[in-house]
Amino acid sequence: MTKKYDALIIGAGHNGLVCAFYLARAGLKVRIVERRDVVGGAAVTEEFHPGFRNSVASYTVSLLQPKVISDMRLADHGYRVIERPISNFLPQEDGGYLKLGGGLDRTQAEFARFSKHDAQVLPDYYEMLENVADVLRDLALKSPPNVGDGLKTFIDAARQGRGLMKLSLSQQRDVLDLFTKSARSFLDSWFESEAVKAAFGFDAVVGNYASPDTPGSAYVLLHHVFGEVNGNKGAWGHSVGGMGNITQIMAKVCRELGVEISLEAPVARVLVDGEKVAGVRLESGEEVVADRVISNVGPKILYEHMFDDADLKPEFKRRIKGFKAGSGTFRMNVALSELPKFTCLPEPGEHHQSGIIIAPTLDYMDRAFLDAKRDGWSQKPIVEMLIPSTIDDSLAPAGQHVASLFCQQFAPELPDGRDWDAEEGKAADLIIDTVEEYAPGFRASVLGRQILSPKGLERKFGLAGGDIMHGNMSLDQLWSARPVLGHGAYRGPLKGLYMCGAGAHPGGGVTGAPGHNCAAEILADRSFLGRLFG
């Protein structure tokens, strides 16, 4: 007889593993099918040049939910994160630099070199941001109220509105500003130094194919600050062993609970029986029968490539067609013979252990976006470099290093019919040249490189348009409207179909929140009272 599962999860990325953990812990029989030959989705560590390993796509830790870390007992299995000594280091076009982080007093002293006013208002800015971030942290592990669920919609909305109602009028205005204003407009109201505004504004364009002048871009800034590392709110850190160590541990925990994980098992079709899912058909021809199908792939991939045309209603298909995906991200990993020597700070130091950001002003970021829309990418691209081998010697041979280059504002589809496969080398050379301008000798230190254009990210990781967030983090695609209003609480348009990936609330990043929340909804659906009041 064909083996039947309580739950079949498409994709062994971190959210799929988190979802599987909670379902298996509750006694469900769970199987994960993964297209690639390794678990982890975009959170993987691979050798990309002989002797050099790195986190291939996702590359830094902050947003992973403490509850998920605790429930899965990741630390007991070797999960370890080292916090950055400072958050970011921004070389300036005039030969100077700005360091962000290392404590309030230290950051104020740094800002005072650029603007005494900015140093003075910094504590108030941090307090404002933290108040709003606390509301988001509270919402991250809660399913959004699902429009169309009748009484439950109103009950959930009232519950989740409590956090906002507790805020003062001034704080509620801050929330409105962050969700609707551009990053520039928001930061202009606080700071006067262009370097300081760039230090904060960079977060608004990470994984966001938009200008810092785009309305709503201030929210993306906020999305990147509601995490924590080792209990320190807003901090970022490095996972020892790379991001793949996290997902390997998660897979081990899942297998210990009886979860079956099938690698090199791409899904061809979701099987539908009437208005209910019945399982999946793999590209091998194998059919897997399951009561529930849970997608950890993005909405665009799921609904536009894994269903027969007649399985979904025209209205829903139209909405998914309008779901925006494409984060404008270009990813590189490079093997280095030595640390980069920045003109402004050439000696080894804490700046090599931080996020090194080449995007000195908001105008620089705006031009990068405008250039990308017109030409495909900017002649002065936005580059963030991390060098994890400075604190994790397991990644590179002694005395040598690996660096992640995370670059923004590269068109998901090139204009004029050009193809990324033919042009990615030119873009990669330009990125290396951009770092070279600030760190002479960098180009000569590159021993090998791995290139992932938007098309490469889609091909390797199944990210539509290379979108690291599984879909734009814009106001029309957040909370109850992620991915589509009426399906914002992890349930798809067919009975037994669920979504546990970053295309659902609260969105992108290695959070584990969508997987956690989706599992909670699945378990609640097992009982009438749970479905009504869960």
Side-chain angles (χ1 to χ4, degrees):
M1 293 180 63
T2 301
K3 190 173 183 179
K4 185 176 183 180
Y5 296 88
D6 297 315
L8 186 287
I9 298 175
I10 304 173
H14 81 281
N15 276 311
L17 295 167
V18 169
C19 186
F21 163 77
Y22 285 107
L23 296 180
R25 191 177 70 167
L28 274 66
K29 185 186 299 183
V30 183
R31 180 176 174 184
I32 304 174
V33 291
E34 166 57 43
R35 179 176 63 94
R36 300 190 66 216
D37 61 357
V38 62
V39 301
V44 290
T45 305
E46 297 177 359
E47 184 177 71
F48 66 94
H49 186 73
F52 294 83
R53 301 163 58 244
N54 201 17
S55 302
V56 177
S58 174
Y59 63 101
T60 189
V61 182
S62 175
L63 304 178
L64 187 58
Q65 290 291 314
K67 184 177 187 297
V68 171
I69 296 170
S70 174
D71 288 350
M72 297 188 77
R73 300 179 64 185
L74 300 183
D76 293 348
H77 295 272
Y79 171 80
R80 181 174 169 233
V81 176
I82 300 174
E83 187 176 342
R84 299 179 191 175
I86 58 172
S87 300
N88 292 323
F89 165 68
L90 289 86
Q92 297 296 300
E93 291 175 306
D94 63 2
Y97 64 85
L98 182 149
K99 291 181 179 180
L100 178 67
L104 176 60
D105 291 343
R106 188 175 169 190
T107 304
Q108 280 187 286
E110 183 78 356
F111 279 15
R113 298 195 299 113
F114 295 84
S115 164
K116 289 184 169 52
H117 167 271
D118 291 357
Q120 185 177 355
V121 302
L122 183 63
D124 292 337
Y125 176 80
Y126 277 160
E127 182 181 6
M128 174 279 302
L129 213 56
E130 188 57 34
N131 286 334
V132 180
D134 275 342
V135 174
L136 288 188
R137 290 187 187 104
D138 184 57
L139 293 177
L141 289 183
K142 294 179 180 176
S143 298
N146 195 54
V147 176
D149 279 359
L151 176 62
K152 187 175 186 297
T153 301
F154 292 101
I155 293 173
D156 288 347
R159 282 176 176 172
Q160 296 191 29
R162 290 174 188 165
L164 286 172
M165 295 306 295
K166 290 178 181 177
L167 297 177
S168 68
L169 178 59
S170 176
Q171 291 168 334
Q172 291 181 41
R173 289 170 176 158
D174 292 332
V175 172
L176 181 63
D177 286 349
L178 281 161
F179 274 84
T180 59
K181 286 186 174 182
S182 72
R184 188 193 298 270
S185 177
F186 182 75
L187 292 168
D188 278 348
S189 70
W190 280 93
F191 303 110
E192 58 186 21
S193 164
E194 293 304 316
V196 169
K197 285 185 278 190
F200 291 120
F202 169 75
D203 281 336
V205 300
V206 172
N208 185 26
Y209 189 48
S211 162
D213 292 327
T214 302
S217 56
Y219 169 74
V220 185
L221 177 158
L222 179 64
H223 181 80
H224 286 94
V225 303
F226 75 79
E228 60 182 77
V229 168
N230 302 328
N232 296 323
K233 292 182 178 180
W236 289 82
H238 167 71
S239 169
V240 175
M243 297 299 288
N245 189 50
I246 299 175
T247 48
Q248 288 294 327
I249 290 171
M250 287 180 169
K252 181 176 185 290
V253 172
C254 286
R255 288 188 175 109
E256 289 175 352
L257 288 172
V259 175
E260 296 180 33
I261 302 176
S262 302
L263 302 178
E264 298 181 283
V267 171
R269 279 288 181 270
V270 176
L271 302 176
V272 177
D273 182 8
E275 294 189 356
K276 184 183 185 305
V277 296
V280 301
R281 181 186 302 114
L282 303 181
E283 288 184 6
S284 66
E286 178 188 357
E287 292 191 353
V288 185
V289 180
D291 291 327
R292 304 163 186 85
V293 173
I294 305 154
S295 174
N296 189 34
V297 302
K300 298 288 279 189
I301 299 294
L302 172 66
Y303 293 115
E304 293 185 351
H305 298 283
M306 293 185 177
F307 282 91
D308 288 335
D309 194 54
D311 290 336
L312 302 171
K313 294 180 179 179
E315 162 69 5
F316 182 80
K317 289 190 289 185
R318 183 178 69 83
R319 296 289 180 183
I320 290 296
K321 185 178 180 181
F323 182 79
K324 301 185 296 294
S327 58
T329 299
F330 193 104
R331 186 73 172 79
M332 291 180 65
N333 296 293
V334 293
L336 301 175
S337 62
E338 61 181 7
L339 287 174
K341 296 180 175 66
F342 292 93
T343 302
C344 60
L345 208 57
E347 297 304 316
E350 63 184 2
H351 58 297
H352 286 111
Q353 299 176 11
S354 72
I356 301 164
I357 296 171
I358 298 177
T361 65
L362 296 180
D363 283 343
Y364 182 106
M365 300 178 209
D366 179 50
R367 285 193 299 270
F369 172 66
L370 296 176
D371 288 352
K373 287 185 66 178
R374 184 185 65 245
D375 303 323
W377 63 82
S378 173
Q379 290 304 303
K380 291 190 173 183
I382 299 168
V383 181
E384 180 183 19
M385 179 193 300
L386 259 72
I387 312 174
S389 51
T390 55
I391 54 176
D392 185 351
D393 60 10
S394 71
L395 301 176
Q400 299 179 319
H401 292 278
V402 295
S404 302
L405 300 178
F406 186 43
C407 312
Q408 312 300 322
Q409 312 310 355
F410 289 76
E413 293 186 8
L414 292 174
D416 305 321
R418 291 149 54 211
D419 190 279
W420 270 117
D421 285 343
E423 306 234 1
E424 64 180 16
K426 297 177 188 176
D429 289 342
L430 179 63
I431 291 165
I432 298 295
D433 289 344
T434 300
V435 179
E436 175 81 14
E437 288 183 29
Y438 292 86
F442 180 75
R443 187 191 302 108
S445 73
V446 175
L447 304 174
R449 64 189 192 181
Q450 179 185 40
I451 302 171
L452 290 168
S453 69
K455 184 177 180 180
L457 287 166
E458 178 167 349
R459 181 167 48 226
K460 188 175 182 72
F461 297 111
L463 302 171
D467 196 323
I468 62 171
M469 304 286 192
H470 284 200
N472 291 14
M473 299 287 289
S474 51
L475 188 58
D476 60 321
Q477 294 186 180
L478 293 177
W479 203 40
S480 293
R482 190 168 186 87
V484 173
L485 201 65
H487 297 287
Y490 310 98
R491 297 174 185 83
L494 298 167
K495 187 176 180 182
L497 178 64
Y498 297 85
M499 296 166 283
C500 72
H505 172 77
V510 180
T511 72
H516 169 281
N517 298 352
C518 179
E521 291 301 311
I522 292 168
L523 296 176
D525 282 349
R526 300 174 81 197
S527 71
F528 172 75
L529 290 178
R531 177 70 184 91
L532 187 61
F533 298 109

